Amino acid sequence: MNNDFYLDFLAKWQQIVYILVFVVLAAGILNYLIFKLSFASKKTYKEKYDLASEKESKKLLTGHILIAVALFLFCNTLEYETMKLDPLWFFIRLFVSMCIGVLYGYIAQLILKFYYPSILEKKLKKLRYTPRINPENGKKMKLLSEDEEDAYLDEGMQAEENVFSVDYDVWIDETTGYTKIEKYKGHLSALECDRCGFQTLRLQKEEVIKEATETEDGELLKEFKCSYCNRIKRKNVVLAHKIKDGTTGKLIDDPLAHDSRISVVKIEIHGTKGEVKEYDFQNLDQAKNFLNEFDFEKLEEESI
């Protein structure tokens, strides 16, 4: 009787899981197709850039997770005749299938975390720097340099660029003077000022109001200042019991600072978990300003 119950359960399991394999695979394919259609429907390079930078990696990860689930389900349809011999084989197959599915998902996650960012970066650079077209006459526009574009940015926009929270690209049609300004995320994060509305509110100083002990939390006062309208904003933050020393960084003066052969300055920041962040600058002054503003303590917290 028990054997009949097991065989009946196994037969139904086989049917249900076999159907679920195609359902999950279809969901994964649909997830990818929806993203590709959404990407293709964007009319401008800027819209494509924003979609790819914000959602492409997440959509790929979701797709690979669904593939991992489908792989787990498919493995649970194999060796049906062997499964009939003893219920123990059913649990062995379940365990092995789970290991295969988790292994696939883990490898896919590692590829998306460490290898795919370089591929995505090339794609984003192509989208960002492909010459824009003047909609009025169909002519290609010119991308202005950092020095040239300041004439087309207001003071608030320039302040955002100075703190590296936002980066603006200015395209111009030299024959007609038609301009197009595109806004991108900068190298560093900054809060939006609630007075002027620009992303120029940066941390200026910290003051410990109450020291943390082994049994009680402490209190830290953070003071933010807007580099555009000079608004001061203060925020109290709880200090945990255990406080770790922060890390500071400083760029050593480069003897090649005035070498005309230098066209790009590249900075790589390696985290303790192996993650790598890369930044490109047009000159050493930009790189120095970047490191002076970089939040190394935040990077250390993300790596823990």
Side-chain angles (χ1 to χ4, degrees), residues 13 22 24 44 111 152 235 258 277 303:
W13 171 274
F22 292 97
V24 174
T44 66
I111 292 175
Y152 298 87
K235 180 181 179 182
H258 302 290
K277 295 185 178 181
S303 302

Side-chain angles (χ1 to χ4, degrees), residues 56-174:
E56 183 163 324
S57 294
K58 296 178 182 178
K59 290 292 183 180
L60 286 175
L61 180 59
T62 300
H64 281 293
I65 290 175
L66 291 173
I67 292 176
V69 174
L71 186 61
F72 161 75
L73 294 170
F74 174 74
C75 291
N76 272 281
T77 65
L78 303 177
E79 298 295 334
Y80 178 64
E81 295 300 324
T82 303
M83 298 304 109
K84 292 180 179 180
L85 300 178
D86 194 315
L88 180 61
W89 284 108
F90 175 83
F91 292 102
I92 293 176
R93 184 180 68 175
L94 192 68
F95 176 75
V96 173
S97 301
M98 185 179 297
C99 291
I100 293 174
V102 170
L103 180 61
Y104 176 89
Y106 180 69
I107 293 175
Q109 188 264 342
L110 289 179
I111 292 175
L112 290 174
K113 183 176 181 180
F114 297 106
Y115 174 71
Y116 189 73
S118 61
I119 298 177
L120 181 60
E121 182 181 1
K122 292 179 181 179
K123 179 178 180 179
L124 294 177
K125 283 185 177 180
K126 183 177 180 181
L127 290 172
R128 180 171 177 177
Y129 297 116
T130 297
R132 304 309 193 239
I133 303 298
N134 185 346
E136 297 178 353
N137 56 22
K139 292 185 177 180
K140 290 184 177 180
M141 304 173 69
K142 174 189 174 182
L143 177 63
L144 299 182
S145 66
E146 292 290 334
D147 294 331
E148 294 173 327
E149 69 183 19
D150 286 345
Y152 298 87
L153 302 178
D154 59 36
E155 292 183 357
M157 293 177 175
Q158 293 182 41
E160 287 179 313
E161 284 206 325
N162 290 337
V163 297
F164 297 103
S165 64
V166 173
D167 192 14
Y168 288 97
D169 285 351
V170 179
W171 296 86
I172 185 171
D173 184 342
E174 295 180 295

Side-chain angles (χ1 to χ4, degrees), residues 212-258:
T213 65
E214 295 182 357
T215 57
E216 294 184 359
D217 290 337
E219 187 175 0
L220 177 69
L221 176 64
K222 290 190 174 185
E223 183 175 291
F224 299 83
K225 183 178 180 180
C226 176
S227 60
Y228 177 63
C229 68
N230 294 322
R231 167 164 171 52
I232 303 295
K233 187 173 183 179
R234 296 178 177 85
K235 180 181 179 182
N236 291 334
V237 179
V238 175
L239 286 176
H241 297 350
K242 185 178 181 181
I243 303 176
K244 294 187 176 182
D245 293 335
T247 306
T248 59
K250 183 179 181 181
L251 182 65
I252 300 175
D253 290 338
D254 195 326
L256 300 177
H258 302 290

Side-chain angles (χ1 to χ4, degrees), residues 191-231:
L191 302 177
E192 180 178 323
C193 179
D194 51 4
R195 176 185 293 173
C196 65
F198 292 108
Q199 288 182 248
T200 48
L201 196 65
R202 298 298 307 277
L203 180 65
Q204 289 293 301
K205 65 178 182 179
E206 297 178 331
E207 180 182 352
V208 178
I209 299 177
K210 179 183 177 183
E211 293 284 351
T213 65
E214 295 182 357
T215 57
E216 294 184 359
D217 290 337
E219 187 175 0
L220 177 69
L221 176 64
K222 290 190 174 185
E223 183 175 291
F224 299 83
K225 183 178 180 180
C226 176
S227 60
Y228 177 63
C229 68
N230 294 322
R231 167 164 171 52

